[in-house]
C-alpha cells in the first residue's frame, strides 16, 4: 500500500482563527502531517509524491467562481483573508466584488482563513487525493492520501471548518466517472456537510457520515438522521449522529451499520474520509474513542472485498495522532 504526500501542505499555516466569537490558535498545524508520516513509515508504507492532475477534476466538484476566488488569494502579502461580514443570499453574488466581499460569500465561518500559501496547499491536497485515486483506478487494493488541509466541510461553492477543497469528493467523483458507483464513509468526528451537499443529488455516490450530533456541535446545521438525500439520490445519504458520551462499543456498532449500507450499494470503490478527532483526548472534544477503536475499524475494512481509498481529514491531538494512525494501519493489515 502506498501513502501519497506533498510537502506543499507546509505553505498553509492558518495562525489565529475565531470560533464562537473567541480567537484561538488554529489546530491545523503542519506538525499533524509529520505525525501521520511517522505512522505510515512505521507501518512500512511506501511514501510517494503527488502528481499534478490539473484543475479539471477540481472543477467537476467545485464552481469555477469559487476556485477563482481561492486562486486569487494566492500570494497575498497583507495578512490572512477571512470574512468581515457574511452574505448568505445566493442571488447576491457579483463577479466584481472585492476579495473580502467574496470571502463573506464563499466562507462559512472564521475558522477558514486564506493565507498567501493556502491555495497552493489546498490545490496540492486535492492532487494528493487524485494521485491516490489513480493507484486504485490502476488496480491497487488500498491507497492512503495524506491530505492537509482537510476537505469534508467544503461544498460546491463554499469553504468552512478549516477546509477549502473537498479532497474526498474530488477523488470519489473522479473514480465514479471511470469505475462506476462509489460509496464514501466519513468517520471524522464532525459531520461531512460539504461532502453531503456535493453528492445530495448524485445517484453515483452513496455517502454515510458517523459523527458527533450537530445538536450542539460543528457544523451545527446539518448531520441529522432525517437527512437522507435529494430526489434523484433518495436514501443515498445516511447520517448517524452520536451523543457526546459515545465510546468504542456504540461507535463500532454505528460504523458497522454505515459499512453495511455502503457495501449494499455495491460500490466499485469504498472511500473513507478518515478523521482521528473522535479520540477522547482530541481538542475537538467530540466523542470518547480509545486508540483501540481504530484497530477495530481497520480490521473491519481489511475484511471487505472492494478497494479502499483512505483520505485524511481531521485529528488534532499531536501526542496521540501517530499512534492512532499506526494502530489503524496495523488493524488494516498493511
Ligand atoms: Zn473533524
Amino acid at each position: 500500500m502506498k501513502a501519497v504526500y506533498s510537502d506543499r501542505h507546509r505553505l498553509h499555516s492558518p495562525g489565529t482563527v475565531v470560533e464562537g466569537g473567541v480567537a484561538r490558535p488554529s489546530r491545523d498545524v503542519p506538525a499533524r502531517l509529520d505525525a501521520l508520516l511517522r505512522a505510515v513509515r512505521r507501518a512500512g508504507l511506501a511514501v510517494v509524491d503527488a502528481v499534478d492532475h490539473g484543475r479539471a477534476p477540481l472543477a467537476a466538484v467545485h464552481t469555477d467562481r469559487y476556485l477563482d476566488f481561492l486562486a486569487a488569494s494566492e500570494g497575498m502579502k497583507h495578512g490572512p483573508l477571512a470574512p468581515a461580514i457574511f452574505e448568505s443570499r445566493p442571488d447576491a453574488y457579483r463577479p466584481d466584488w472585492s476579495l473580502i466581499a467574496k470571502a463573506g460569500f464563499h466562507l462559512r465561518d472564521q475558522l477558514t482563513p486564506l493565507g498567501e500559501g493556502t491555495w497552493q496547499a489546498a490545490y496540492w491536497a486535492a492532487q494528493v487525493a487524485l494521485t491516490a485515486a489513480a493507484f486504485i483506478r490502476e488496480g491497487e487494493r488500498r491507497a492512503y492520501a495524506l491530505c492537509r488541509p482537510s476537505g469534508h466541510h467544503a461544498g460546491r461553492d463554499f469553504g468552512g471548518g478549516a477546509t477549502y477543497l473537498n479532497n474526498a469528493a474530488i477523488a470519489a467523483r473522479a473514480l465514479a466517472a471511470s469505475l462506476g458507483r462509489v460509496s464514501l464513509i466519513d468517520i471524522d468526528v464532525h459531520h461531512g456537510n460539504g461532502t453531503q451537499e456535493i453528492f445530495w443529488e448524485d445517484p453515483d455516490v452513496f455517502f454515510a457520515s458517523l459523527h458527533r450530533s450537530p445538536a450542539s456541535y460543528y457544523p451545527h446545521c446539518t448531520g441529522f438522521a432525517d437527512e437522507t438525500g435529494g430526489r434523484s439520490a433518495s436514501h443515498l445519504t445516511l447520517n448517524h449522529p452520536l451523543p457526546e458520551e459515545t465510546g468504542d462499543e456504540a461507535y463500532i456498532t454505528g460504523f458497522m451499520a454505515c459499512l453495511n449500507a455502503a457495501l449494499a450499494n455495491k460500490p466499485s470503490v469504498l472511500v473513507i474520509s478518515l478523521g482521528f478527532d473522535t479520540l477522547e483526548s482530541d481538542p475537538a472534544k467530540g466523542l470518547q474513542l480509545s486508540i483501540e477503536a481504530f484497530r477495530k475499524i481497520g480490521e473491519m475494512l481489511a475484511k471487505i472485498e472492494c478497494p479502499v481509498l483512505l483520505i485524511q481529514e481531521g485529528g488534532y491531538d499531536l501526542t496521540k495522532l501517530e499512534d492512532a494512525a499506526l494502530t489503524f494501519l496495523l488493524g488494516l493489515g498493511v
Side-chain angles (χ1 to χ4, degrees):
M1 172 164 152
K2 295 186 181 75
V4 184
Y5 172 78
S6 170
D7 206 44
R8 292 172 181 86
H9 77 88
R10 294 187 196 284
L11 296 168
H12 175 58
S13 191
T16 300
V17 296
V18 177
E19 182 172 27
V22 178
R24 62 164 172 82
S26 170
R27 299 176 187 127
D28 185 19
V29 292
R32 292 180 56 238
L33 269 204
D34 295 336
L36 293 169
L37 264 180
R38 288 194 298 274
V40 300
R41 292 204 164 107
R42 283 173 66 192
L45 275 64
V47 179
V48 299
D49 256 331
V51 174
D52 191 356
H53 290 72
R55 178 165 148 153
L58 282 53
V61 164
H62 296 287
T63 62
D64 276 322
R65 69 183 185 185
Y66 177 54
L67 294 175
D68 288 344
F69 159 68
L70 294 178
S73 71
E74 184 180 357
M76 287 178 313
K77 298 291 186 197
H78 46 75
L81 178 67
I85 49 86
F86 289 103
E87 174 53 84
S88 58
R89 296 170 299 161
D91 297 335
Y93 181 82
R94 293 175 58 114
D96 60 346
W97 267 345
S98 66
L99 276 181
I100 190 71
K102 289 181 180 177
F105 184 79
H106 288 296
L107 300 176
R108 292 212 158 166
D109 52 45
Q110 295 184 309
L111 291 161
T112 318
L114 288 158
E116 61 181 295
T118 299
W119 164 247
Q120 277 297 313
Y123 178 90
W124 279 97
Q127 302 304 333
V128 165
L130 285 163
T131 303
F135 287 129
I136 297 288
R137 191 167 51 239
E138 289 158 10
E140 301 222 4
R141 306 283 304 158
R142 310 271 186 262
Y144 185 6
L146 291 169
C147 299
R148 179 181 171 274
S150 310
H152 71 151
H153 298 304
R156 289 180 64 247
D157 200 33
F158 64 86
T163 77
Y164 305 87
L165 297 175
N166 196 315
N167 309 309
I170 289 165
R173 185 152 277 162
L175 287 168
S178 56
L179 298 180
R181 215 152 38 185
V182 170
S183 289
L184 198 165
I185 304 177
D186 187 326
I187 59 169
D188 187 279
V189 79
H190 302 96
H191 175 238
N193 59 318
T195 314
Q196 173 168 298
E197 191 253 6
I198 288 163
F199 295 122
W200 188 250
E201 297 283 359
D202 188 339
D204 293 331
V205 178
F206 172 88
F207 174 62
S209 182
L210 186 63
H211 49 265
R212 160 85 178 266
S213 167
S216 60
Y217 197 66
Y218 193 92
H220 300 288
C221 297
T222 58
F224 298 95
D226 59 359
E227 298 162 23
T228 58
R231 276 190 192 167
S232 53
S234 181
H235 299 289
L236 291 181
T237 293
L238 171 66
N239 279 297
H240 200 106
L242 295 163
E244 177 180 6
E245 62 273 15
T246 300
D248 292 6
E249 194 177 337
Y251 189 88
I252 297 297
T253 302
F255 179 71
M256 193 176 293
C258 291
L259 184 59
N260 287 340
L263 295 178
N265 193 48
K266 303 204 183 316
S268 58
V269 182
L270 177 64
V271 178
I272 302 288
S273 267
L274 179 61
F276 294 107
D277 46 5
T278 43
L279 265 181
E280 58 189 339
S281 59
D282 195 280
K285 295 189 189 315
L287 298 174
Q288 314 300 327
L289 264 57
S290 75
I291 280 182
E292 279 307 301
F294 293 104
R295 185 190 310 278
K296 293 195 183 100
I297 295 166
E299 286 170 353
M300 289 161 78
L301 290 174
K303 288 183 189 141
I304 69 170
E305 302 250 323
C306 81
V308 177
L309 172 61
L310 307 168
I311 305 284
Q312 186 61 47
E313 303 285 358
Y316 307 96
D317 180 355
L318 293 174
T319 67
K320 300 220 172 106
L321 189 54
E322 178 181 346
D323 280 346
L326 178 61
T327 303
F328 169 79
L329 291 169
L330 294 177
L332 190 60
V334 295

